[in-house]
Amino acid sequence: MTAAKHFATDISADGTDDILDFKIPDPEGELSDADFQQQIEVAWQVCDRFDLQTDIWRGRILRAVRDREKRGGGGSGFLNWLKDRDLSKSQAYALIDLANSADQMLQDGLLETRDVNQFSKRAFMETAQSSPEVQQIVSEAARRGEQITRREVRQLSDEWTAMSSDLIPETVREKAANNTIPTRYLAPLVKEMQKLPPAHQATLKTEVAASPDIDTLKQVTSEARYLSKYIAAASQVQALDPEVVNLEQALDEALRVGCLNSTADLVNQATQLEQAAAKLYTAWKRMNALAERVYVDSGESTPQLRSLLSALQPLCSERIEVRLGEIDSPAMRTIRLRVLPDSPDGA
C-alpha cells in the first residue's frame, strides 16, 4: 500500500500535549453523581481514542514486519515475531486491516491527520466497515469537530440504508424520512433480503408495501431470515433429491400454512445431522485403525493397555454404544448406533 500521511499522536483536548495524562475524579469526593459520571466518561473517551491510535500504529508496524518477511521469501519469520510478542495471527491481521483502513481513508481525503481524535475505537472500526457514502458522512462530522461514537455510525448507516436501498418500498422510505418508522428497523430487513433470490425479494417487498408499519417490518425480517436459512440449508442436504422433492413448492407451502420457521429449522437440522453422521463414520474408521495398531504394538506385558482397548471396544464395533448420564441416575440411557458395512459399489 502507498504510504499515507501519519496520524498525529496528540489526543488531548487542547491539542498542545501528546502525553496521556488526566485526573480521575475521587470516588469519595463531593462531586454529584452526574458530574462524577461526566468526568469518568470524558476520561474513558480519551483512553478509547488513545487505544485507537495505538492499534493503528501497531497495525502499521505489523504490516511492515510482514512485508519485510515477504520480501525475504518466507512467512515463518513473521509468525515467530508474533509468537515472541504473544500475538495470534488473527489479532495481527485485524490490526493490519485497521491500519489499512485508516491509511486508505487518509489517501481518499476522507480524513485529515487529526480527525481520528474524534473517534472512539469501536466507532472508527464501524466506519471502516461501512459503505463509502456512510464513510463520507461520518468523516464530514469528524472534520466539524463532532465526537463520533459507534451508535452514531450505526444510526447513520441505518439511515443511509433506509433511504438508498431499492428493497425498501417508497412508502416506507417516506415514513422513515419523517421519523414515523425508526430507521433501525430497516437495516436488518435489507441485510436479510439481500441474501434472497429476486423473486422472494419482490414478494417480501410487496408484503411490506401493503402494510408499512413496524410490526410488518419485524415479521418480514424474520421471514427473510428463515427464507435464507432454508435456501442455504436445503441445497446441502443430500437426502433432499430435487427429482423427488420440489424445494421451491415445499417452501411456498410452508409459507402458506405458516410453518416457515419450523421448516427452515428442520432443514437446517438435517444438514447438521448429515454432517455429524459423516464425522462420526470418519472418527469410527480412524478409531478402529488406531485400536488395531495399538493391539499389534502391545502384548501380554501391557495388561493396562489391553484393558484400555477392551474398555473402548463398544466404540469400535459395528454397534456403537454411548451412555448418556450417570450410571446410578434414573435418567441414564444408552444410545446404540449400528454402522452397516460398505456396499460393494461404495454407495
Side-chain angles (χ1 to χ4, degrees):
M1 176 175 287
T2 306
K5 292 186 292 183
H6 291 166
F7 284 128
T9 56
D10 175 19
I11 61 167
S12 63
D14 60 6
T16 61
D17 192 355
D18 61 0
I19 298 175
L20 183 62
D21 184 23
F22 49 80
K23 292 183 179 180
I24 297 176
D26 182 0
E28 304 295 335
E30 300 298 324
L31 284 175
S32 67
D33 288 344
D35 288 340
F36 179 84
Q37 291 298 332
Q38 193 272 337
Q39 291 186 28
I40 285 292
E41 182 64 24
V42 169
W44 187 268
Q45 289 178 7
V46 171
C47 291
D48 211 11
R49 296 196 295 275
F50 190 84
D51 265 352
L52 170 59
Q53 295 194 47
T54 299
D55 282 352
I56 290 173
W57 280 107
R58 281 180 173 153
R60 288 170 174 156
I61 293 168
L62 288 164
R63 186 175 63 204
V65 175
R66 181 202 61 186
D67 293 348
R68 179 77 174 188
E69 291 297 326
K70 281 185 177 179
R71 192 183 72 168
S76 59
F78 179 56
L79 297 180
N80 290 333
W81 196 89
L82 296 179
K83 185 177 180 181
D84 291 341
R85 287 155 183 81
D86 294 325
L87 275 175
S88 69
K89 188 176 179 181
S90 60
Q91 288 173 319
Y93 276 93
L95 291 171
I96 290 174
D97 288 342
L98 177 64
N100 288 342
S101 297
D103 289 345
Q104 190 62 56
M105 283 194 280
L106 279 170
Q107 290 177 11
D108 293 344
L110 294 174
L111 293 175
E112 297 296 333
T113 54
R114 293 183 180 273
D115 291 339
V116 72
N117 294 337
Q118 308 308 121
F119 290 84
S120 70
K121 180 178 176 180
R122 297 173 74 184
F124 189 89
M125 296 176 74
E126 192 84 23
T127 302
Q129 297 168 5
S130 299
S131 66
E133 294 82 5
V134 173
Q135 288 183 354
Q136 182 70 44
I137 297 171
V138 173
S139 299
E140 290 174 358
R143 286 198 295 271
R144 292 195 298 268
E146 298 179 19
Q147 295 297 319
I148 310 299
T149 65
R150 188 186 187 192
R151 178 183 298 178
E152 290 168 336
V153 177
R154 286 193 168 183
Q155 181 178 346
L156 287 170
S157 182
D158 289 349
E159 290 174 356
W160 175 256
T161 298
M163 295 300 112
S164 63
S165 177
D166 293 336
L167 298 175
I168 301 297
E170 183 61 33
T171 53
V172 177
R173 282 207 291 264
E174 291 174 357
K175 290 193 172 186
N178 61 30
N179 295 321
T180 305
I181 293 180
T183 55
R184 68 176 181 272
Y185 291 106
L186 303 184
L189 175 60
V190 172
K191 179 181 177 182
E192 296 300 333
M193 287 181 66
Q194 287 173 340
K195 303 175 185 177
L196 300 175
H200 292 300
Q201 290 177 346
T203 300
L204 294 179
K205 183 176 179 180
T206 301
E207 187 175 342
V208 172
S211 302
D213 54 50
I214 293 177
D215 289 340
T216 301
L217 289 173
K218 290 180 178 179
Q219 177 187 340
V220 173
T221 300
S222 178
E223 287 182 4
R225 184 179 299 113
Y226 280 102
L227 275 169
S228 62
K229 192 175 180 180
Y230 174 91
I231 293 170
S235 62
Q236 300 178 32
V237 180
Q238 297 179 29
L240 296 178
D241 185 347
E243 295 183 0
V244 178
V245 181
N246 188 312
L247 297 174
E248 189 67 27
Q249 289 183 8
L251 176 59
D252 291 340
E253 290 172 358
L255 284 167
R256 177 168 54 81
V257 300
C259 65
L260 172 61
N261 297 7
S262 299
T263 304
D265 285 338
L266 173 64
V267 175
N268 186 58
Q269 198 65 42
T271 305
Q272 296 182 37
L273 183 56
E274 284 189 345
Q275 293 173 352
K279 290 180 180 178
L280 172 64
Y281 179 72
T282 302
W284 178 79
K285 293 277 285 186
R286 176 65 173 160
M287 189 168 180
N288 272 276
L290 291 171
E292 183 176 354
R293 182 186 304 174
V294 172
Y295 182 83
V296 171
D297 292 343
S298 62
E300 297 299 330
S301 63
T302 57
Q304 295 305 317
L305 197 53
R306 289 298 177 92
S307 295
L308 183 145
L309 290 173
S310 178
L312 294 177
Q313 184 57 33
L315 298 177
C316 296
S317 64
E318 290 185 357
R319 188 179 183 182
I320 302 173
E321 294 188 4
V322 178
R323 186 181 68 244
L324 297 182
E326 299 297 330
I327 295 179
D328 56 352
S329 170
M332 192 277 288
R333 60 181 301 182
T334 300
I335 302 298
R336 295 180 178 87
L337 301 173
R338 186 181 177 190
V339 181
L340 298 176
D342 292 337
S343 59
D345 61 0

